Amino acid sequence: MMKQDATIYLVLNPSSAADEDVREVVSVLRDAGYTVCPRPTWEKGDGARAVQEAAADKADLVVACGGDGTLHEVANALMALDEAQRPAMAGLPYGTGNDFLTALGVDPKGGAVQLASWLGGEPWPVDVGRINDRHFINMATAGVGATVTAETSRGFKDVAGSLAYFVKAIPAAFDMPVHRLQARAPGLEWEGEAAFIFVGNGPQSGGGWNFCPAAEVDDGLLDLVIVPAMGLTEMVRQMRELVNQPEATDCHDIVYRQVKEAHLRFEEEVPLNLDGESFPGQEFAFSVQPGAIAFLGPRPSRVTAEGEKQKKREDEG
């Protein structure tokens, strides 16, 4: 439980900074005895600077108020701190996709009032992915999805929301770029033409699509999914099955592995999307840092594959 006199920093993207509900929650929390420090972000690096200020102030909690990109910036800044200096983290959804928070069970329409209810709970450990010299909290994607993200302007995302992804993705799919990929991970050696690559700490991306449906943010693993080049109709069929399967198993031609580390090498530089932000490159080393961040908020309830089988046996019996 967050102590009554805790210091809370709010890292606010422009949408959340303009929200009257946020201002009201700040007042309510202050009246309850909390020290609340709002920090709007207007320029690149503002979020990281706010986290550094929070650490220097010995803050108890940093709340990323924005989309996956805001969470990405806050998580990277937290990981740059010594573990003993690291405040707990929470997130309020004020972005276009909000994939990480939605997968945890945060209500995308619940606004800032959700924060007050979380303060009575305990932070829980969330894994953080690492790729080369950066961290990510939700998902890394390459291929068509990353190309679409890189080519979708911030203004268009603000207007169209998660629909922006599909407005751009539909024409891209008919002229689908493929990339020659060498992928290595424990128990996996794969080489070929890949259309989509997903490395998930969380399960969903692209505004709610479970491209890594078995991913759990606290299992100490990353979910690696490789979608080989194939005809568009067949790809749609296989990916439709992929996003609905509960287990980390191959789906027809689609490769699915849960790993602690992976190495991807492309023949040319490709756009890579990390939590909604574009970072181009050619060679990527992935790893996971289990339980690296204490996260305050709802913890997703899960039914294991074995539990589902047992329930099915009981229903049939």
Side-chain angles (χ1 to χ4, degrees):
M1 180 175 180
M2 198 62 59
K3 60 186 181 181
Q4 199 66 31
D5 61 346
T7 298
I8 302 170
Y9 272 68
L10 304 181
V11 180
L12 304 161
N13 76 351
S15 295
S16 62
D19 187 16
E20 290 297 327
D21 285 345
V22 173
R23 300 186 183 192
E24 183 177 345
V25 166
V26 168
S27 297
V28 168
L29 294 181
R30 285 174 173 166
D31 290 343
Y34 296 100
T35 299
V36 184
C37 306
R39 294 295 183 267
T41 57
W42 306 112
E43 298 176 336
K44 185 177 181 179
D46 282 351
R49 285 186 284 271
V51 171
Q52 292 165 0
E53 183 184 352
D57 199 17
K58 294 182 169 52
D60 301 279
L61 178 67
V62 175
V63 185
C65 305
D68 290 319
T70 302
L71 269 73
H72 176 84
E73 184 175 10
V74 168
N76 270 274
L78 288 173
M79 293 302 293
L81 301 171
D82 291 337
E83 188 173 356
Q85 292 182 293
R86 217 172 277 163
M89 178 181 176
L92 290 171
Y94 283 93
T96 54
N98 303 309
D99 285 298
F100 181 78
L101 295 177
T102 301
L104 295 187
V106 175
D107 184 354
K109 298 181 180 178
V113 296
Q114 299 174 90
L115 176 59
S117 66
W118 300 338
L119 295 175
E122 291 290 338
W124 53 282
V126 164
D127 303 337
V128 175
R130 182 176 177 86
I131 172 173
N132 296 352
D133 59 350
R134 287 198 69 83
H135 293 89
F136 64 101
I137 197 167
N138 185 49
M139 191 177 293
T141 66
V144 176
T147 301
V148 166
T149 302
E151 294 177 353
T152 304
S153 71
R154 177 68 62 185
F156 186 53
K157 289 181 184 178
D158 290 342
V159 172
S162 61
L163 181 62
Y165 182 89
F166 297 100
V167 171
K168 292 285 186 177
I170 289 171
F174 287 97
D175 187 23
M176 188 177 297
V178 295
H179 303 289
R180 188 74 186 176
L181 169 67
Q182 292 178 331
R184 298 197 312 273
L188 175 68
E189 294 277 347
W190 191 92
E191 182 173 356
E193 301 285 345
F196 289 90
I197 303 95
F198 306 103
V199 183
N201 184 42
Q204 68 181 51
S205 183
W209 290 88
N210 289 321
F211 295 123
C212 298
E216 300 170 0
V217 298
D218 58 351
D219 63 357
L221 297 169
L222 296 173
D223 286 37
L224 170 63
V225 176
I226 302 171
V227 181
M230 63 185 81
L232 180 60
T233 301
E234 180 62 17
M235 182 175 293
V236 169
R237 183 183 76 83
Q238 293 193 24
M239 291 190 72
R240 184 178 294 155
E241 291 188 33
L242 167 72
V243 300
N244 290 308
Q245 70 178 34
E247 300 178 1
T249 57
D250 292 351
C251 181
H252 302 289
D253 299 307
I254 297 175
V255 177
Y256 197 138
R257 298 288 189 278
Q258 289 187 314
V259 298
K260 293 183 181 293
E261 58 186 36
H263 185 272
L264 306 182
R265 188 180 190 284
F266 297 89
E267 282 193 350
E268 69 288 320
E269 184 176 272
V270 300
L272 186 87
N273 177 287
L274 289 181
D275 299 337
E277 304 297 320
S278 184
F279 296 92
Q282 184 175 357
E283 195 161 352
F284 306 101
F286 288 90
S287 60
V288 62
Q289 295 179 246
I293 289 178
F295 198 88
L296 185 68
R299 189 169 189 170
S301 58
R302 299 183 295 269
V303 179
T304 64
E306 184 56 39
E308 289 180 344
K309 293 175 184 177
Q310 178 63 30
K311 185 177 183 300
K312 183 177 180 180
R313 287 193 292 266
E314 291 173 356
D315 291 342
E316 292 175 348

Short mmCIF file of all heavy atoms in Angstrom, two decimals, residues 104-132:
data_model
loop_
_atom_site.label_atom_id
_atom_site.label_comp_id
_atom_site.label_asym_id
_atom_site.label_seq_id
_atom_site.Cartn_x
_atom_site.Cartn_y
_atom_site.Cartn_z
N LEU A 104 -3.10 -5.02 -19.26
CA LEU A 104 -3.07 -5.23 -17.81
C LEU A 104 -4.45 -5.13 -17.18
O LEU A 104 -4.64 -5.53 -16.03
CB LEU A 104 -2.15 -4.21 -17.14
CG LEU A 104 -0.66 -4.27 -17.48
CD1 LEU A 104 0.11 -3.30 -16.60
CD2 LEU A 104 -0.11 -5.68 -17.30
N GLY A 105 -5.40 -4.56 -17.90
CA GLY A 105 -6.74 -4.40 -17.36
C GLY A 105 -7.08 -2.98 -16.95
O GLY A 105 -8.11 -2.74 -16.33
N VAL A 106 -6.22 -2.02 -17.32
CA VAL A 106 -6.53 -0.62 -17.06
C VAL A 106 -7.63 -0.19 -18.02
O VAL A 106 -7.58 -0.47 -19.22
CB VAL A 106 -5.27 0.26 -17.25
CG1 VAL A 106 -5.63 1.74 -17.09
CG2 VAL A 106 -4.19 -0.13 -16.25
N ASP A 107 -8.64 0.49 -17.50
CA ASP A 107 -9.77 0.92 -18.31
C ASP A 107 -9.35 2.11 -19.17
O ASP A 107 -9.03 3.19 -18.64
CB ASP A 107 -10.93 1.33 -17.40
CG ASP A 107 -12.19 1.71 -18.19
OD1 ASP A 107 -12.13 1.77 -19.43
OD2 ASP A 107 -13.23 1.95 -17.54
N PRO A 108 -9.33 1.98 -20.50
CA PRO A 108 -8.88 3.10 -21.35
C PRO A 108 -9.81 4.31 -21.27
O PRO A 108 -9.42 5.40 -21.66
CB PRO A 108 -8.86 2.50 -22.75
CG PRO A 108 -9.77 1.32 -22.70
CD PRO A 108 -9.69 0.79 -21.30
N LYS A 109 -11.02 4.11 -20.77
CA LYS A 109 -11.96 5.22 -20.62
C LYS A 109 -12.15 5.61 -19.16
O LYS A 109 -12.99 6.46 -18.86
CB LYS A 109 -13.31 4.84 -21.25
CG LYS A 109 -13.24 4.55 -22.75
CD LYS A 109 -14.60 4.20 -23.32
CE LYS A 109 -14.52 3.92 -24.83
NZ LYS A 109 -15.85 3.54 -25.38
N GLY A 110 -11.36 5.01 -18.28
CA GLY A 110 -11.53 5.25 -16.85
C GLY A 110 -10.91 6.53 -16.34
O GLY A 110 -11.18 6.95 -15.22
N GLY A 111 -10.06 7.14 -17.18
CA GLY A 111 -9.47 8.41 -16.80
C GLY A 111 -8.56 8.33 -15.60
O GLY A 111 -8.14 7.26 -15.15
N ALA A 112 -8.30 9.51 -15.02
CA ALA A 112 -7.33 9.63 -13.93
C ALA A 112 -7.86 9.12 -12.60
O ALA A 112 -7.08 8.87 -11.68
CB ALA A 112 -6.89 11.08 -13.81
N VAL A 113 -9.17 8.99 -12.47
CA VAL A 113 -9.74 8.58 -11.18
C VAL A 113 -9.27 7.19 -10.77
O VAL A 113 -9.32 6.84 -9.58
CB VAL A 113 -11.28 8.62 -11.21
CG1 VAL A 113 -11.77 10.05 -11.42
CG2 VAL A 113 -11.83 7.71 -12.30
N GLN A 114 -8.80 6.39 -11.75
CA GLN A 114 -8.33 5.04 -11.42
C GLN A 114 -7.13 5.08 -10.48
O GLN A 114 -6.94 4.18 -9.66
CB GLN A 114 -7.93 4.30 -12.70
CG GLN A 114 -9.07 4.11 -13.68
CD GLN A 114 -8.61 3.50 -14.99
OE1 GLN A 114 -8.60 2.28 -15.15
NE2 GLN A 114 -8.23 4.34 -15.93
N LEU A 115 -6.33 6.12 -10.60
CA LEU A 115 -5.10 6.20 -9.82
C LEU A 115 -5.37 6.14 -8.32
O LEU A 115 -4.66 5.45 -7.59
CB LEU A 115 -4.35 7.48 -10.17
CG LEU A 115 -3.07 7.77 -9.38
CD1 LEU A 115 -2.06 6.65 -9.55
CD2 LEU A 115 -2.46 9.11 -9.81
N ALA A 116 -6.39 6.85 -7.86
CA ALA A 116 -6.68 6.89 -6.43
C ALA A 116 -6.97 5.49 -5.88
O ALA A 116 -6.56 5.15 -4.77
CB ALA A 116 -7.85 7.83 -6.16
N SER A 117 -7.66 4.66 -6.67
CA SER A 117 -7.99 3.31 -6.20
C SER A 117 -6.77 2.41 -6.14
O SER A 117 -6.68 1.51 -5.31
CB SER A 117 -9.07 2.68 -7.09
OG SER A 117 -8.57 2.47 -8.41
N TRP A 118 -5.78 2.65 -7.02
CA TRP A 118 -4.58 1.81 -7.02
C TRP A 118 -3.69 2.07 -5.81
O TRP A 118 -2.92 1.18 -5.41
CB TRP A 118 -3.76 2.05 -8.30
CG TRP A 118 -4.49 1.75 -9.55
CD1 TRP A 118 -5.59 0.94 -9.71
CD2 TRP A 118 -4.20 2.28 -10.85
NE1 TRP A 118 -5.99 0.92 -11.02
CE2 TRP A 118 -5.16 1.73 -11.75
CE3 TRP A 118 -3.23 3.14 -11.35
CZ2 TRP A 118 -5.17 2.04 -13.10
CZ3 TRP A 118 -3.23 3.44 -12.70
CH2 TRP A 118 -4.19 2.89 -13.57
N LEU A 119 -3.76 3.27 -5.24
CA LEU A 119 -2.85 3.62 -4.15
C LEU A 119 -3.05 2.76 -2.92
O LEU A 119 -2.18 2.69 -2.06
CB LEU A 119 -3.01 5.11 -3.80
CG LEU A 119 -2.60 6.08 -4.91
CD1 LEU A 119 -2.90 7.51 -4.51
CD2 LEU A 119 -1.12 5.93 -5.25
N GLY A 120 -4.19 2.08 -2.84
CA GLY A 120 -4.42 1.18 -1.72
C GLY A 120 -3.84 -0.21 -1.93
O GLY A 120 -3.88 -1.05 -1.03
N GLY A 121 -3.28 -0.45 -3.13
CA GLY A 121 -2.71 -1.77 -3.42
C GLY A 121 -1.20 -1.77 -3.32
O GLY A 121 -0.56 -0.77 -2.99
N GLU A 122 -0.62 -2.93 -3.62
CA GLU A 122 0.83 -3.11 -3.57
C GLU A 122 1.40 -3.16 -4.99
O GLU A 122 0.83 -3.81 -5.87
CB GLU A 122 1.19 -4.40 -2.84
CG GLU A 122 0.90 -4.40 -1.36
CD GLU A 122 1.83 -3.48 -0.59
OE1 GLU A 122 2.95 -3.19 -1.10
OE2 GLU A 122 1.46 -3.04 0.50
N PRO A 123 2.52 -2.48 -5.24
CA PRO A 123 3.18 -2.63 -6.53
C PRO A 123 3.62 -4.09 -6.74
O PRO A 123 3.93 -4.79 -5.79
CB PRO A 123 4.41 -1.71 -6.42
CG PRO A 123 4.08 -0.74 -5.33
CD PRO A 123 3.23 -1.52 -4.36
N TRP A 124 3.63 -4.51 -7.99
CA TRP A 124 4.02 -5.87 -8.33
C TRP A 124 5.09 -5.83 -9.43
O TRP A 124 5.19 -4.87 -10.18
CB TRP A 124 2.81 -6.70 -8.76
CG TRP A 124 1.98 -6.11 -9.85
CD1 TRP A 124 1.06 -5.10 -9.75
CD2 TRP A 124 1.96 -6.49 -11.23
NE1 TRP A 124 0.49 -4.82 -10.97
CE2 TRP A 124 1.01 -5.66 -11.88
CE3 TRP A 124 2.65 -7.46 -11.96
CZ2 TRP A 124 0.75 -5.78 -13.25
CZ3 TRP A 124 2.38 -7.57 -13.32
CH2 TRP A 124 1.43 -6.74 -13.94
N PRO A 125 5.95 -6.85 -9.50
CA PRO A 125 7.11 -6.78 -10.39
C PRO A 125 6.76 -7.03 -11.85
O PRO A 125 6.11 -8.01 -12.20
CB PRO A 125 8.04 -7.88 -9.86
CG PRO A 125 7.11 -8.87 -9.22
CD PRO A 125 5.97 -8.06 -8.65
N VAL A 126 7.22 -6.13 -12.71
CA VAL A 126 7.01 -6.23 -14.16
C VAL A 126 8.37 -6.40 -14.84
O VAL A 126 9.34 -5.73 -14.50
CB VAL A 126 6.30 -4.96 -14.68
CG1 VAL A 126 6.41 -4.85 -16.19
CG2 VAL A 126 4.84 -4.96 -14.26
N ASP A 127 8.43 -7.32 -15.80
CA ASP A 127 9.65 -7.53 -16.58
C ASP A 127 9.85 -6.35 -17.54
O ASP A 127 8.89 -5.67 -17.93
CB ASP A 127 9.56 -8.81 -17.40
CG ASP A 127 9.30 -10.04 -16.56
OD1 ASP A 127 9.60 -10.01 -15.36
OD2 ASP A 127 8.78 -11.03 -17.12
N VAL A 128 11.09 -6.17 -17.93
CA VAL A 128 11.43 -5.15 -18.92
C VAL A 128 12.31 -5.81 -19.99
O VAL A 128 13.26 -6.52 -19.66
CB VAL A 128 12.16 -3.96 -18.28
CG1 VAL A 128 12.61 -2.96 -19.35
CG2 VAL A 128 11.26 -3.26 -17.27
N GLY A 129 11.96 -5.60 -21.24
CA GLY A 129 12.79 -6.11 -22.33
C GLY A 129 13.95 -5.18 -22.62
O GLY A 129 13.88 -3.96 -22.38
N ARG A 130 15.03 -5.76 -23.12
CA ARG A 130 16.20 -4.97 -23.52
C ARG A 130 16.55 -5.32 -24.95
O ARG A 130 16.53 -6.50 -25.34
CB ARG A 130 17.40 -5.25 -22.61
CG ARG A 130 18.63 -4.41 -22.94
CD ARG A 130 19.77 -4.64 -21.96
NE ARG A 130 20.97 -3.88 -22.31
CZ ARG A 130 21.20 -2.63 -21.96
NH1 ARG A 130 20.32 -2.00 -21.20
NH2 ARG A 130 22.30 -2.01 -22.32
N ILE A 131 16.86 -4.30 -25.73
CA ILE A 131 17.29 -4.50 -27.11
C ILE A 131 18.48 -3.58 -27.37
O ILE A 131 18.35 -2.35 -27.27
CB ILE A 131 16.13 -4.24 -28.10
CG1 ILE A 131 16.65 -4.28 -29.53
CG2 ILE A 131 15.41 -2.95 -27.81
CD1 ILE A 131 15.56 -4.20 -30.58
N ASN A 132 19.63 -4.17 -27.63
CA ASN A 132 20.87 -3.41 -27.78
C ASN A 132 21.05 -2.51 -26.56
O ASN A 132 21.18 -2.99 -25.45
CB ASN A 132 20.87 -2.65 -29.10
CG ASN A 132 20.85 -3.60 -30.31
OD1 ASN A 132 20.98 -4.81 -30.17
ND2 ASN A 132 20.69 -3.04 -31.49
#
